[in-house]
Amino acid sequence: MASIGTLIGPVVSLRNYKARIVANLLNVNLAITPDFEMGKDNKTPEFLAKFPLGKVPVFDGANDFSLTDSSAIAYYVAMKSSDSAELLGRTDEERAEILQFAFFAEADYSPAQGGALYPALGYMPFVKPAVQAAEQQLLRFIGVLNTVLLDRTFLVGERVTMADIIVTCGLTMAFTHFLTAADRKEFRNVTRYFKTMIAQPAFKSVIGDFKFCETRAAPAAPAKKEKKKVEQPKKAEKKVEKKVEEEEEPKPAPKPKSMLDSLPPTSMPLDSWKRFYSNNETKPDAMEWLWKNFDADGYSFWKVEYKYNDELAMRFMTNNLISGFFNRLERARKYAFGCLLTLGEDNDNQIWGYFIVRGKVIPEEVTDAADFESFEWTAADHTDAKTKAEIEDCFAWEGPSLPRECYDGKVLQFLCACKWDVRAAFAMLRKTLKWRAGQAIDEIVFHGEPQLHMHTMESGLAVACTRDRLDNPVFVIRVRANIARERSIAAIKRFLC
């Protein structure tokens, strides 16, 4: 039988095993590359011209047909045989279940295994919290598989399928470097399943004699650097050194931390405006002070509008978006004052406001914020009557010139009102308590958090990795797995506000 193509990559590899096991089961002629050198052969110009990702294994077939994913290659090899129905599933239900376990192995199990073991094997930097979280996630996935295999010999049906091949190959790394004898005893169903699989002739001819883990892999301790003994110079030599130092040119003045620090002095310190704004009525007192003391040469006004208002939903979520943006403007706290308002109703609202910025251009301290590009910044002429009225109403959170009714706002001033004014601090406390009562925060803490965590744990959206000093569980949220459109408005409002 002619070869269907060549499987290129190192032969000792859990990803390489998949297609070769399939070929053995179905008697498909598949060429391999036993002399392949990882890090060398996959870096040649010829290889990268055909497989730009540079990863292995890859499949090189006839008529310039090629594949780069190990599971896709295994499926293709199976499809080249007329006897693949049992391996790929005979019914729609079997085929769907096989894909379910294949996706579980690739999308959930494999990343957790890599995060737990790659640092210990030297493939990734060792970051202890990340490794601990990955280990907990890996053990959780193995535990899930252990439950599934409680009353099953094979994952799908009563014969080996593609699901068994993909999952077993994925488990080889854990059984080699992670699961000790005690672990194998705890996860006895997975252990029994794995031993059954690797004993199959088609598996054994590829994987060979398997050696189970005795001691869990751990990162090598960093080598201690030998301290070099520095000979102390004689007293006479010290005197010479001092004379040389005195003759050296004076050190240059330290560079300013920000380009804005090198601007000419301004007649209006920004902190003075922030303090006056915090301790006085906005209209007319604070605004009269601003127009009287504003330094047009040292500052500029900017109108700020969110570019994607059509994507905004609940108003409290819009307000949280503004808070996140302000948190990422920490570097600008000395050079900017701004007010962004949430205008409109639920499912029909917008973000709008004005900023005072040091200098005539938007500084790097502002543009460096991660979501700066999500906002439209337009230079504003404060001498224009209409613009001046908008600035006053924006800073006051009310007035006829606002585009729509104001729901709430945030002020980027980075000066806490309670530092100067007890009344302002009391007003802030009152507003906070009103928000807690309106959003039922105490009810969420008492009832909602356990319910939320159980749901996220069961759905794989989060994992409990440790406990804090008060013995409360600490959860690591898998952000990429949380999709906003899959959450109801009620759930988002209850748990994420």
Side-chain angles (χ1 to χ4, degrees), residues 66-137:
S66 60
L67 292 169
T68 59
D69 181 83
S70 59
S71 294
I73 297 170
Y75 263 87
Y76 176 74
V77 173
M79 292 173 185
K80 301 304 287 184
S81 171
S82 58
D83 301 325
S84 62
E86 191 170 274
L87 197 65
L88 301 179
R90 294 187 179 278
T91 66
D92 291 343
E93 289 74 18
E94 284 187 353
R95 287 189 285 270
E97 200 171 2
I98 290 169
L99 285 176
Q100 169 186 274
F101 285 109
F103 293 154
F104 163 79
E106 295 289 351
D108 295 317
Y109 176 84
S110 183
Q113 180 173 258
L117 290 176
Y118 285 171
L121 300 177
Y123 302 146
M124 289 171 55
F126 179 80
V127 181
K128 188 174 182 179
V131 172
Q132 289 177 334
E135 287 178 349
Q136 292 292 331
Q137 190 79 303

Side-chain angles (χ1 to χ4, degrees), residues 404-415:
R404 305 172 69 182
E405 182 182 356
C406 178
Y407 164 73
D408 203 353
K410 300 287 183 181
V411 177
L412 176 72
Q413 54 178 325
F414 294 96
L415 291 175

Side-chain angles (χ1 to χ4, degrees), residues 225-237:
K225 296 182 179 179
E226 295 182 1
K227 295 182 179 180
K228 295 182 179 180
K229 295 183 179 180
V230 180
E231 295 182 1
Q232 297 182 353
K234 296 179 181 179
K235 293 182 179 180
E237 294 176 347

Side-chain angles (χ1 to χ4, degrees), residues 170-187:
L171 288 169
T172 55
M173 179 180 286
F175 276 103
T176 303
H177 301 290
F178 188 76
L179 296 175
T180 61
D183 297 320
R184 296 194 293 273
K185 186 176 180 180
E186 178 182 356
F187 301 112

